[in-house]
Amino acid sequence: MSVTERYLNAWEGFWGASSGAPGEVIWDSAPESAAEAHPALLALPGELPLPVVDLGCGNGTRTRWLAGHFPRAIGVDLSRAAVEHARRADPEGLAAYERLDLVDTAAVRALHERLGDSHVYLRAVIHQSDPGDRPAVAAAVAELVGARGRAFVVELEPAAKDVIAEAAGATGDSAEKVRRVFAHDLRPAAASGGEVAALLRGAGLAILAEGETELAMTGFHTDGRRIMLPSHWFVAGRADVPAGGDG
């Protein structure tokens, strides 16, 4: 099983038309200052010092940041162009990067076999996945965390659509960044927090913690406010995982 050709072409086209430079893409904000850098995420390596897999890593901005907090970081993305951007942006080799189709069950299982149980970072991937692929994306998260890992998942809420529409209807560089997303047939804010929780539970994971947040964008509204998208975060994993394991 694989993603649709439309979805693959959309992402390959988007990243192929990008330079990969930090901040060029509307969602490529600095992880250090972003609201979604929740203490629940940074607590994961202290509970269990496992590798972290950044699903949908794009140009690797967050993968490199995660590499400074986890024993090992691996960024994966559907788009070959995105993976190439990530590798070029990381000449020191802080993290590893590879192409992965999250809907390809065999490929996801092979990654788990290589890494063992891992923590997973999933930022705004389910909400723009094709509806028929969302259960498989959640299943990929469950496969990679295995019996011991945790997943930190943050997804846009439907209310983000209004913020995105406002930004796209304005003028200037920020509006162009937003319009680029739609020009490549990408469809943001298409899933609710309730749907995401149900998908994770359906994949066999328990919701261990959750809360509301906002995803910081690299653009600004015409009145100078940073574009912030309403979102919901979850920590998910097997409910019986003990804290303080030795990895």
Side-chain angles (χ1 to χ4, degrees):
M1 186 177 178
S2 181
V3 296
T4 63
E5 185 174 357
R6 180 209 70 81
Y7 189 73
L8 174 60
N9 290 340
W11 280 109
E12 204 64 71
F14 180 86
W15 283 112
S18 302
S19 69
E24 177 190 17
V25 172
I26 187 64
W27 56 77
D28 193 32
S29 56
E32 298 86 351
S33 60
E36 71 269 19
H38 192 275
L41 168 63
L42 297 182
L44 297 183
E47 293 177 359
L48 286 169
L50 302 175
V52 63
V53 185
D54 181 9
L55 303 184
C57 69
N59 62 347
T61 296
R62 278 165 176 74
T63 319
R64 294 187 293 278
W65 177 75
L66 290 166
H69 297 277
F70 289 78
R72 181 184 179 193
I74 301 93
V76 301
D77 202 279
L78 174 67
S79 166
R80 294 187 188 280
V83 172
E84 291 170 2
H85 286 320
R87 288 173 176 162
R88 282 195 296 269
D90 190 6
E92 296 179 355
L94 298 175
Y97 311 91
E98 56 188 83
R99 183 184 179 276
L100 180 69
D101 180 350
L102 295 181
V103 180
D104 185 338
T105 303
V108 172
R109 185 173 297 122
L111 179 61
H112 179 229
E113 289 173 354
R114 282 194 285 122
L115 297 178
D117 292 351
S118 302
H119 296 308
V120 166
Y121 180 72
L122 186 74
R123 180 182 187 260
V125 172
I126 292 176
H127 78 97
Q128 46 72 29
S129 298
D130 288 336
D133 289 340
R134 291 173 192 167
V137 173
V141 173
E143 174 70 32
L144 292 170
V145 302
R148 299 185 301 152
R150 305 290 202 203
F152 184 88
V153 178
V154 58
E155 293 287 344
L156 299 186
E157 287 282 18
K161 286 185 177 181
D162 293 335
V163 182
I164 293 168
E166 178 187 352
T171 59
D173 180 64
S174 295
E176 285 301 316
K177 287 183 177 183
V178 176
R179 288 196 285 265
R180 271 192 59 211
V181 175
F182 293 103
H184 286 276
D185 198 23
L186 301 174
R187 305 166 184 179
S192 69
E195 179 184 353
V196 173
L199 288 166
L200 294 172
R201 291 187 178 106
L205 297 174
I207 304 299
L208 306 175
E210 62 180 298
E212 296 179 354
T213 187
E214 292 180 307
L215 297 191
M217 300 292 104
T218 60
F220 297 83
H221 293 287
T222 53
D223 62 5
R225 290 175 296 124
R226 182 178 290 275
I227 299 171
M228 303 289 289
L229 302 183
S231 305
H232 202 99
W233 63 266
F234 305 89
V235 173
R238 310 299 177 187
D240 57 350
V241 177
D246 61 7

